[in-house]
C-alpha cells in the first residue's frame, strides 16, 4: 500500500467492509481471502467483525473469547487474534436469547428483542473504537458484515453493516452467492433498499461460487453496472473442500461429512469411523476437523442410536446447553447407546459439554438453572456450573505427547476417581478424566496437536480391534495454511485486485448514483 489515509486525528490504515446479500453468501471466505492476499503483498492487515452470532468460538492469548471465524481470518492475515477483532459475540442459548460477550468477556444474557431495543445501539461506540484502534496499528482492516445490509427492520440499531460503514466512513463491497440463483436481483435489491446515505458507501459487488464460463456472465454484469452505476470487483469460482471454520454449528448436515476435500487412503488396512452426536446448541464442532483430516478416518454427524453401531469412536461435542443436550440424548435413545458402548469397552470421547455429560452429577444454577441433574455416569466426575466463565489457552501432555488447547466453559469438574487425561510437564493433573475407553476433557482444539492425535487414534484403533495406522506425516496446521492460501489464490486470480486495493487505500469512490426507491 502507498500509505495511510490522513484524518483529523492523524494517519489511519485503509478499510473495507465485506457485506453479503444473504447469510452464507461467502463473507467469511472473501474476508479471509482478502486478508491472505494482502498479507502476501507485505501489507499489515487485520480482520474485524463488529458483532458475530456464533456458537463456534475461540480464546485469544490474552484470554478473550471471539468468534472462531475471526480467529481463522487473523490466521489468514498472519496476525495474532485479539478481542478488538470481534468486540461483540452473541452465543445463542435458545431461539430467543443469547449470551452477550463484550470484548471477550460475558456480560449477561439478553433476549433478541432486548438486544435490538437498545443495547445494540449503546455498543456502537465500543465497536467503532475497536475498529479505529485496529486501523491505527495496521495498514488495512477488512471488516465482515453480518446477514444482509438490507435488513430494513434492523437498520436503526445496526452496528455491523451499514451502521458501521457510515460511522467509520469505509467503502462496502457486497458479496452474492450465484450458486443459489438470483444473484443479479439480490445485488440490485440490496442496493435499492438502502437509504441514499448508505448507498453512497456501496462501491460494488463480488460474485461468489460461480460454475461455468465466465464470459456468459459478463453481459449481466455490464447491465448491472449500467442500472446501479457500480462495478463488479470479481467473479470467484465455486471451490470444493475449502474446509474453513464455520460460524454456526447448527447448520451442519447431520448426514454430511466434515469436509468435501478428497482424503488419501488409509495408511493401514482399516478405516476408523467416528460418529459425532449432533446435540442441540452444538459448539466448536470444528474440534473434529483434525480427525477428518486424517487419511482413513471417516467423520459423520448423527442423531439416531442405530448410527452408533458401526462407529469405532463416538464423540459427544461441546454445547451451549449441557443439560438440554443431555435430555436430548436420553429422549432419542442415544444416551443408552453410549452407555452400552462404554460397558463393552468401545471408545467414547466427550469434549467440554460432552465431558460434563459423561460425569455422574451436574449442578447447574447458571446455564439451564435446572439444579441437580444426573449425568451418564461413565466418568467419576461431578460438575458444578460457576457464574464466572473459564477462558484459557492451556498446554500440557497426554499419551506421552504435547497438547495445546483452549477452554470455554462455566462447568467446573471435580474428578473423584479414574485417571486424569491431561498433565503438565511434571506429571501434575491438569484436566479431564479417563476410565477404560471413555475419555473426557474441557480442552477444545486438543486434536489439532499432531502427535497427540496420532497417539489417541492408535488407542481408539486398539480398543476397536481395527488395523488402522495413523499417517505419520499429517500436519493439521500445514493443511489449514494450505486452505488459507487457496482463499488468497481465489482473490488474487479472480478478483480485480488493483481496484480492490484502490478502494481500500482511497476510500469510497465519488459520484456513486442513487438507486431508487431507497429505504422505506
Amino acid at each position: 500500500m502507498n500509505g495511510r489515509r490522513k484524518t483529523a486525528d492523524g494517519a489511519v490504515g485503509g478499510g473495507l467492509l465485506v457485506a453479503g446479500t444473504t447469510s452464507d453468501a461467502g463473507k467469511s471466505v472473501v474476508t479471509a481471502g482478502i486478508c491472505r492476499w494482502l498479507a502476501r503483498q507485505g501489507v499489515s492487515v487485520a480482520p474485524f467483525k463488529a458483532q458475530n452470532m456464533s456458537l463456534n468460538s475461540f480464546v485469544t492469548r490474552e484470554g478473550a473469547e471471539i468468534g472462531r471465524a475471526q480467529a481463522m481470518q487473523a490466521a489468514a492475515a498472519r496476525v495474532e487474534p485479539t478481542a478488538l477483532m470481534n468486540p461483540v459475540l452473541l452465543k445463542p442459548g435458545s431461539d430467543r436469547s443469547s449470551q452477550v460477550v463484550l470484548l471477550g468477556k460475558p456480560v449477561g444474557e439478553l433476549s433478541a428483542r432486548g438486544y435490538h431495543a437498545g443495547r445494540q445501539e449503546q455498543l456502537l461506540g465500543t465497536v467503532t473504537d475497536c475498529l479505529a484502534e485496529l486501523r491505527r496499528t495496521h495498514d488495512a482492516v477488512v471488516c465482515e458484515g453480518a446477514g444482509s445490509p438490507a435488513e430494513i427492520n434492523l437498520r436503526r440499531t445496526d452496528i455491523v453493516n451499514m451502521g458501521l460503514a457510515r460511522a467509520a466512513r469505509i467503502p462496502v463491497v457486497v458479496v452474492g452467492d450465484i450458486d443459489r440463483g438470483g444473484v443479479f436481483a439480490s445485488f440490485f435489491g440490496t442496493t435499492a433498499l438502502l437509504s441514499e446515505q448508505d448507498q453512497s458507501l456501496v462501491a460494488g459487488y463480488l460474485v461468489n461460487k460461480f460454475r461455468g464460463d465466465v464470459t456468459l456472465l459478463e453481459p449481466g454484469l455490464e447491465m448491472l453496472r449500467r442500472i446501479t452505476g457500480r462495478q463488479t470487483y470479481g467473479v470467484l469460482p465455486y471451490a470444493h473442500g475449502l474446509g474453513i471454520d464455520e460460524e454456526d454449528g447448527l447448520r451442519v448436515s447431520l448426514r454430511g461429512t466434515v469436509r468435501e476435500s478428497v482424503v488419501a487412503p488409509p495408511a493401514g488396512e482399516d478405516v476408523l469411523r467416528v460418529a459425532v452426536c449432533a446435540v442441540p446448541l452444538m459448539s466448536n464442532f470444528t474440534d473434529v476437523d483434525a480427525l477428518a483430516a486424517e487419511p482413513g478416518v471417516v467423520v459423520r454427524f448423527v442423531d439416531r442410536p442405530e448410527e452408533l453401531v458401526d462407529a469405532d469412536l463416538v464423540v459427544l461435542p461441546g454445547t451451549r446447553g449441557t443439560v438440554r443436550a443431555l435430555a436430548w440424548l436420553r429422549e432419542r435413545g442415544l444416551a443408552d447407546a453410549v452407555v452400552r458402548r462404554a460397558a463393552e469397552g468401545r471408545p467414547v470421547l466427550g469434549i467440554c459439554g460432552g465431558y460434563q455429560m459423561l460425569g455422574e452429577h451436574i449442578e447447574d444454577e447458571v446455564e439451564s438453572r435446572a439444579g441437580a441433574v444426573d449425568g451418564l455416569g461413565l466418568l467419576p466426575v461431578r460438575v458444578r456450573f460457576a457464574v464466572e466463565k473459564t477462558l484459557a489457552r492451556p498446554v500440557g501432555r497426554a499419551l506421552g505427547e504435547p497438547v495445546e488447547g483452549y477452554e470455554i466453559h462455566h462447568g467446573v469438574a471435580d474428578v473423584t476417581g479414574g485417571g486424569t487425561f491431561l498433565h503438565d510437564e511434571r506429571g501434575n493433573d491438569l484436566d479431564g478424566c479417563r476410565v477404560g475407553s471413555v475419555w473426557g476433557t474441557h480442552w477444545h482444539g486438543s486434536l489439532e496437536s499432531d502427535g497427540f492425535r496420532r497417539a489417541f487414534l492408535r488407542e481408539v484403533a486398539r480398543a476397536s480391534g481395527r488395523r488402522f495406522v495413523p499417517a505419520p506425516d499429517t500436519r493439521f496446521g500445514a493443511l489449514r495454511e494450505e486452505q488459507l492460501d487457496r482463499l488468497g489464490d481465489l482473490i488474487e486470480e479472480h478478483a480485480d485486485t488493483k481496484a480492490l486495493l484502490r478502494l481500500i487505500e482511497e476510500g469510497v469512490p465519488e459520484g456513486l448514483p442513487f438507486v431508487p426507491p431507497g429505504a422505506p
Side-chain angles (χ1 to χ4, degrees), residues 217-236:
L217 196 64
E218 289 171 352
L221 299 178
E222 177 56 27
M223 283 187 275
L224 182 68
R225 187 194 63 77
R226 289 203 302 268
I227 62 176
T228 67
R230 289 159 173 84
Q231 74 176 89
T232 297
Y233 285 85
V235 178
L236 307 184

Side-chain angles (χ1 to χ4, degrees), residues 79-111:
V79 295
E80 189 68 30
T82 73
L84 293 174
M85 297 172 184
N86 180 207
V88 182
L89 173 63
L90 305 178
K91 301 193 73 173
S94 70
D95 291 339
R96 296 190 176 185
S97 69
S98 295
Q99 182 181 65
V100 181
V101 179
L102 179 62
L103 292 174
K105 304 295 180 184
V107 294
E109 296 272 341
L110 273 181
S111 67

Side-chain angles (χ1 to χ4, degrees), residues 308-491:
L308 305 188
V309 174
D310 68 341
D312 301 302
L313 170 67
V314 168
V315 177
L316 300 185
T319 172
R320 172 83 164 85
T322 298
V323 170
R324 176 178 168 184
L326 186 55
W328 181 87
L329 289 175
R330 287 177 167 137
E331 289 165 3
R332 290 179 171 254
L334 285 159
D336 288 341
V338 171
V339 170
R340 284 195 300 271
R341 286 185 61 89
E344 296 165 359
R346 302 176 67 197
V348 177
L349 171 65
I351 302 174
C352 200
Y355 169 37
Q356 295 163 6
M357 287 185 270
L358 292 174
E360 298 171 340
H361 182 80
I362 298 171
E363 190 72 34
D364 182 11
E365 299 292 351
V366 176
E367 191 175 77
S368 68
R369 296 181 173 86
V373 178
D374 288 334
L376 296 180
L378 300 181
L379 292 176
V381 175
R382 301 178 71 85
V383 176
R384 176 186 55 82
F385 274 68
V387 174
E388 188 79 13
K389 181 186 280 191
T390 297
L391 297 169
R393 287 278 293 273
V395 295
R397 296 186 68 83
L399 303 179
E401 297 287 346
V403 186
E404 296 184 17
Y406 56 99
E407 295 184 70
I408 308 169
H409 55 93
H410 283 279
V412 178
D414 178 19
V415 180
T416 61
T420 303
F421 195 5
L422 295 132
H423 309 84
D424 64 16
E425 292 289 343
R426 297 180 178 179
N428 299 313
D429 297 345
L430 286 179
D431 178 79
C433 183
R434 175 183 182 178
V435 174
S437 293
V438 179
W439 296 268
T441 176
H442 272 128
W443 292 17
H444 294 289
S446 61
L447 293 167
E448 296 179 16
S449 298
D450 297 328
F452 165 69
R453 182 181 64 255
R454 294 184 193 114
F456 176 71
L457 289 175
R458 282 192 289 269
E459 293 265 334
V460 169
R462 189 158 41 244
S464 301
R466 297 289 186 187
R467 289 173 294 183
F468 169 85
V469 178
D473 55 354
T474 301
R475 294 187 298 128
F476 187 74
L479 290 174
R480 175 153 286 170
E481 274 296 299
E482 288 175 14
Q483 301 291 48
L484 295 175
D485 274 332
R486 289 184 64 195
L487 298 183
D489 293 343
L490 282 177
I491 299 300

